[in-house]
């Protein structure tokens, strides 16, 4: 395999809460422009790991480097070089579309002119120019999720973390969302994504599957299916997580 | 109370927003019925009308002989409702929550223990823990236990499996089947299309309307046209190249393949056309196979028809 630039580097990462080990010696790399699926059962330790990788929680031991910065030593540097969106928390419902862009652009320290350029760029791309002064609350969920993804990319981060980004949206919107993910990855941004939709696991370049704090499997979807002798990622998941 | 449900001409508007448009639906006593659709389809609104929590703008709902508006007290006594958002008391323990809900219905945890045993047994070791400190999966089991504690005839579950992993989802459906065997009528909503196959009958819902109501197998059987699964060496560019094809109705990613629907009679001719096109685009390892539709294919096709009708109307 060619030497690809590592955007996420994790070695022997451990996170304990009291006696409970939420992450047990996680070791993996994610490369530039890769779409990496981070799967696991509820309670397997995914959220804990994502929090560490985003600089929101310090590891108990081990090492993780994201976008060139050690998460334990320089959490704020990590934060400014990554994008994040989740289904639960993404944008502010009582601000307009434009205000959300301005707010997040400001947080990432972009100059005013660039924020307005980026806002126009994304709204044009999403064909949502007419919504710029609409309060977010009044916008359908599918559109909101596309907006949230654009906002998470406003500062051209090296990696964007997506925590169940497609939960609840209709099957057409879900597919449009994945088109956006592909486009972003093609531009060289790494996409780190969690999902409970197993067909979406197929869209990832590589996936890891966590169970009880450990990464049980990590490979391309094709190789995982071959290794476990099953036809779908759903069956792979059930073999590992049950 | 018999729990067959008759929904007649039900509409609901919130100011200008029309959440439900003239819904007509009958659900039989003892049925496991699924309401399948994305966020904003109107599933929750319909459930809130059935549980007498909101009033319909128009139309009527009867559960057995009871009218959900006039006889709301009796309806509530016989209905268990698990809302989509966790709505138990976070600062009460598991046991306190159960006792609280039991006491509202003049019963006790002890009296109906048998009813919830299968589920409760999995959270019983944590009965002294506050509900707010439980993991997502355990919260869900507690909420279901609370919804069942008064031995309702009808149970309504609003997206119980959203955000839940594939294994826990499977276990949850096994629980529902068990409850059904006890004679309960179960009404459940989900955005996961693959769960449709687990219901006796389903309604596919979008934009406040029912797209189809039938047994899952019948919905699949009534799929019109031929569906093909295509794969090749470069899956990403394949999608846009397939979109350029003639005689093709829909193109969408479907797991490890791309599903396309043909507009012409002859399958062999179509496969030949697709193959020719892909070879000319320079693809290797081309595979084009006729495949059987699943509920998600049907939903996508119905959404397409719906959009076409709307375009014609405008």
């Amino acid at each position: 395999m060619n030497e690809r630039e590592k955007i996420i580097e994790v070695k022997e990462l451990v996170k304990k809460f009291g006696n409970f080990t939420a992450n047990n010696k996680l070791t993996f790399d994610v490369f530039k422009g890769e779409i990496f699926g981070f799967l696991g059962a509820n309670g397997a330790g995914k959220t804990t790991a994502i929090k560490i990788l985003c600089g929101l929680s310090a590891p108990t031991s081990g090492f993780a480097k994201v976008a060139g910065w050690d998460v334990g030593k320089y959490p704020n540097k990590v934060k400014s070089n990554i994008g994040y969106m989740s289904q639960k928390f993404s944008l502010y419902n009582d601000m307009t579309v434009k205000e959300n862009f301005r707010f997040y652009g400001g947080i990432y320290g972009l100059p005013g002119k660039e924020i307005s350029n980026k806002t126009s760029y994304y709204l044009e791309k999403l064909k949502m120019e007419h919504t710029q002064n609409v309060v977010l609350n009044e916008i359908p969920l599918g559109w909101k999720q596309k907006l949230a993804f654009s906002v998470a990319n406003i500062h051209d981060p090296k990696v964007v973390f997506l925590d169940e980004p497609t939960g609840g949206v209709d099957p057409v919107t879900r597919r449009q969302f994945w088109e956006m993910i592909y486009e972003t990855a093609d531009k060289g941004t790494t996409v780190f994504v969690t999902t409970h939709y197993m067909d979406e696991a197929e869209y990832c370049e590589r996936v890891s599957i966590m169970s009880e704090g450990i990464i049980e499997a990590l490979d391309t979807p094709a190789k995982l299916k071959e290794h476990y002798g099953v036809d779908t990622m759903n069956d792979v998941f059930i073999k590992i997580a049950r | 109370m018999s729990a067959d449900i008759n929904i007649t001409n039900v509409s609901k508007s919130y100011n200008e927003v029309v959440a439900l448009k003239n819904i007509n639906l009958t659900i039989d006593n003892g049925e496991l019925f699924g309401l399948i659709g994305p966020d904003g389809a109107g599933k929750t609104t319909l459930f809130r009308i059935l549980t007498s929590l909101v009033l319909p703008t128009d139309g009527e709902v009867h559960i057995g002989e009871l009218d959900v508006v006039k006889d709301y007290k009796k309806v509530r006594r016989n209905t268990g409702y698990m809302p989509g958002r966790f709505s138990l008391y976070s600062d009460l323990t598991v046991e306190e929550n159960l006792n609280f809900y039991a006491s509202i219905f003049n019963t006790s945890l002890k009296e109906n223990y048998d009813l919830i045993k299968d589920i409760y047994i999995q959270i019983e070791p944590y009965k002294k823990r506050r509900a707010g400190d439980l993991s997502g999966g355990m919260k869900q089991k507690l909420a279901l236990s609370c919804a069942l504690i008064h031995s309702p005839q009808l149970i309504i579950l609003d997206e119980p499996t959203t955000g839940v992993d594939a294994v826990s989802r499977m276990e949850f459906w096994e629980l529902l089947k068990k409850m059904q065997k006890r004679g309960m009528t179960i009404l459940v909503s989900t955005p996961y299309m693959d769960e449709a196959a687990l219901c006796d009958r389903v309604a596919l819902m979008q934009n406040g309307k029912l797209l189809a109501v039938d047994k899952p197998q019948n919905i699949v059987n009534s799929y019109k046209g031929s569906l093909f699964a295509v794969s090749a060496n470069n899956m990403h560019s394949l999608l846009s190249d397939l979109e350029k094809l003639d005689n093709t109705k829909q193109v969408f990613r479907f797991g490890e393949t791309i599903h396309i629907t043909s507009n012409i009679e002859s399958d062999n001719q179509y496969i030949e056309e697709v193959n020719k096109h892909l070879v000319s685009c320079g693809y290797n390892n081309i595979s084009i196979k006729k495949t059987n539709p699943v509920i998600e294919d049907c939903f996508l096709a119905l959404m397409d028809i719906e959009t076409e009708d709307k375009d014609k109307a405008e």
Side-chain angles (χ1 to χ4, degrees):
Chain A
M1 199 166 151
N2 295 336
E3 268 303 303
R4 283 171 79 179
E5 187 189 338
K6 289 176 187 168
I7 296 296
I8 299 175
E9 236 182 302
V10 180
K11 274 197 193 100
E12 303 272 312
L13 184 75
V14 175
K15 180 74 184 185
K16 289 186 180 176
F17 298 103
N19 292 327
F20 178 69
T21 306
N23 288 164
N24 193 356
K25 294 190 181 167
L26 304 185
T27 299
F28 63 94
D29 297 323
V30 184
F31 302 102
K32 184 176 160 66
E34 184 174 36
I35 302 173
F36 188 83
F38 195 59
L39 312 183
N42 300 109
K46 296 191 304 280
T47 306
T48 303
I50 291 176
K51 276 191 174 162
I52 294 172
L53 297 180
C54 291
L56 297 173
S57 160
T60 307
S61 68
F63 166 84
K65 202 165 149 188
V66 174
W69 298 94
D70 184 325
V71 295
K73 290 187 191 131
Y74 306 101
N76 288 336
K77 286 285 182 191
V78 170
K79 284 178 207 162
S80 56
N81 283 292
I82 62 167
Y84 176 82
M85 92 164 257
S86 78
Q87 201 208 339
K88 284 169 205 121
F89 176 80
S90 40
L91 303 176
Y92 286 92
N93 271 322
D94 42 8
M95 298 202 291
T96 66
V97 169
K98 210 171 157 185
E99 283 166 349
N100 267 292
F101 273 103
R102 205 166 67 203
F103 178 75
Y104 280 98
I107 280 187
Y108 287 116
L110 300 186
K113 185 138 191 259
E114 202 182 334
I115 296 177
S116 40
N117 287 344
K118 282 271 167 69
T119 308
S120 323
Y121 167 77
Y122 281 115
L123 289 182
E124 197 190 315
K125 212 173 87 174
L126 298 175
K127 299 192 180 72
M128 286 180 67
E129 294 103 323
H130 60 289
T131 66
Q132 58 171 318
N133 293 317
V134 177
V135 175
L136 213 74
N137 217 0
E138 289 164 21
I139 286 179
L141 178 82
W143 289 18
K144 261 192 215 172
Q145 274 164 316
K146 289 179 199 166
L147 278 173
F149 182 66
S150 305
V151 168
N153 279 297
I154 194 168
H155 55 301
D156 297 320
K158 291 194 172 124
V159 47
V160 56
F161 289 87
L162 309 174
D163 198 359
E164 287 183 43
T166 56
V169 301
D170 70 68
V172 172
T173 310
R174 205 150 70 77
R175 286 172 171 81
Q176 289 168 347
F177 194 89
W178 272 91
E179 286 310 300
M180 292 178 71
I181 292 180
Y182 272 103
E183 247 179 67
T184 308
D186 283 347
K187 281 193 292 188
T189 307
T190 302
V191 179
F192 190 94
V193 58
T194 74
T195 179
H196 288 309
Y197 288 98
M198 287 303 131
D199 60 331
E200 294 186 349
E202 305 273 6
Y203 308 155
C204 301
E205 233 176 291
R206 287 186 307 151
V207 300
S208 69
I209 302 178
M210 264 184 99
S211 174
E212 294 178 12
I214 293 167
I215 291 184
E216 292 283 357
L218 196 170
D219 216 323
T220 62
K223 285 199 179 131
L224 285 175
K225 283 183 282 184
E226 194 188 307
H227 181 261
Y228 288 92
V230 292
D231 294 331
T232 64
M233 279 306 291
N234 197 50
D235 292 339
V236 171
F237 187 85
I238 285 167
K239 279 212 163 178
I240 292 173
R242 196 167 216 189
Chain B
M1 181 181 92
S2 156
D4 49 317
I5 304 171
N6 282 294
I7 301 168
T8 321
N9 299 328
V10 164
S11 297
K12 176 72 188 175
S13 307
Y14 299 100
N15 299 323
E16 290 101 80
V17 183
V18 182
L20 293 176
K21 291 170 201 158
N22 201 28
I23 303 285
N24 284 288
L25 183 63
T26 308
I27 294 157
D28 297 327
N29 196 30
E31 202 171 12
L32 173 49
F33 191 93
L35 213 50
I36 320 274
D39 273 18
K43 307 189 297 291
T44 301
T45 301
L46 187 57
F47 280 179
R48 291 177 72 80
I49 290 173
L50 291 177
T51 46
S52 80
L53 296 172
V54 297
L55 297 172
T57 311
D58 248 317
E60 280 178 20
V61 179
H62 286 90
I63 301 178
E65 350 23 297
L66 303 176
D67 180 309
V68 290
V69 178
K70 290 186 201 118
D71 308 313
Y72 72 95
K73 281 189 180 164
K74 280 185 191 158
V75 168
R76 288 182 189 180
R77 207 169 300 147
N78 289 303
T79 308
Y81 175 47
M82 180 174 156
R85 201 177 287 172
F86 183 71
S87 38
L88 302 179
Y89 293 92
S90 304
D91 40 8
L92 294 186
T93 65
V94 167
E95 206 176 21
E96 284 165 346
N97 265 296
L98 271 165
N99 281 327
F100 174 72
Y101 282 96
S103 68
I104 287 181
F105 291 101
N106 284 323
T107 179
S108 65
L109 174 53
K110 221 173 170 181
E111 203 173 319
N112 283 330
Y113 184 81
D114 227 33
L115 206 64
I116 60 164
K117 202 177 99 187
D118 291 337
I119 311 155
Y120 184 55
I121 214 157
Q122 300 173 44
I123 46 172
E124 208 169 6
Y126 312 99
K127 64 182 179 187
K128 299 284 178 210
R129 195 182 282 188
R130 286 205 232 175
D133 296 336
L134 295 175
S135 76
M138 286 198 277
K139 273 184 186 158
Q140 185 202 34
K141 282 171 187 142
L142 177 60
L144 183 60
S145 303
C146 288
L148 287 171
I149 193 73
H150 59 298
S151 185
Q153 182 57 41
L154 166 67
I155 177 126
I156 296 180
L157 307 154
D158 195 0
E159 297 204 10
T161 54
T162 293
V164 175
D165 69 69
V167 173
S168 309
R169 286 207 278 141
M170 210 161 75
E171 289 171 357
F172 197 82
W173 277 91
E174 283 164 14
L175 275 175
L176 294 187
K177 292 270 181 202
K178 268 193 192 169
M179 285 158 49
Q180 188 193 16
K181 283 208 181 101
R182 296 197 168 160
M184 271 180 215
T185 305
I186 303 169
L187 197 50
V188 55
S189 68
T190 177
Y192 294 101
M193 305 279 154
D194 57 341
E195 293 182 349
L198 304 166
C199 304
D200 296 334
R201 283 192 310 145
V202 295
L204 304 186
M205 209 171 173
Q206 166 96 342
N207 294 330
K209 284 197 271 189
L210 301 178
L211 302 178
V213 183
D214 213 329
K215 288 183 182 153
Q217 193 56 47
N218 290 350
I219 289 182
V220 167
N221 291 346
S222 62
Y223 186 87
K224 287 194 182 65
S226 299
L227 184 72
F228 300 87
V230 187
S231 64
N233 56 329
N234 184 346
M235 289 302 286
H236 185 199
S237 61
L238 185 63
L239 188 79
S240 48
D241 284 323
L242 286 172
E243 276 166 352
K244 292 174 199 140
L245 270 173
D246 293 329
N247 298 330
T248 301
K249 221 184 293 174
Q250 274 189 306
V251 178
F252 46 82
R253 222 179 273 281
F254 210 97
E256 60 176 341
T257 63
I258 291 173
H259 280 186
I260 57 176
T261 40
S262 149
N263 250 346
I264 55 172
E265 205 52 43
S266 159
D267 290 346
N268 288 336
Q269 189 195 333
Y270 185 68
I271 291 178
E272 216 169 281
E273 277 177 27
V274 176
N275 190 49
K276 214 167 133 194
H277 174 70
L278 293 183
V279 168
S280 75
C281 292
Y283 285 95
N284 305 316
N285 302 328
I286 301 167
S287 157
I288 308 160
K289 284 187 192 132
K290 191 166 179 184
T291 186
N292 292 323
V294 294
I295 290 284
E296 190 156 353
D297 293 300
C298 301
F299 199 94
L300 284 159
L302 289 165
M303 275 178 81
D304 203 38
I305 294 168
E306 170 93 4
T307 327
E308 270 172 29
D309 288 352
K310 215 169 152 189
D311 290 347
K312 269 181 212 158
E314 278 164 10

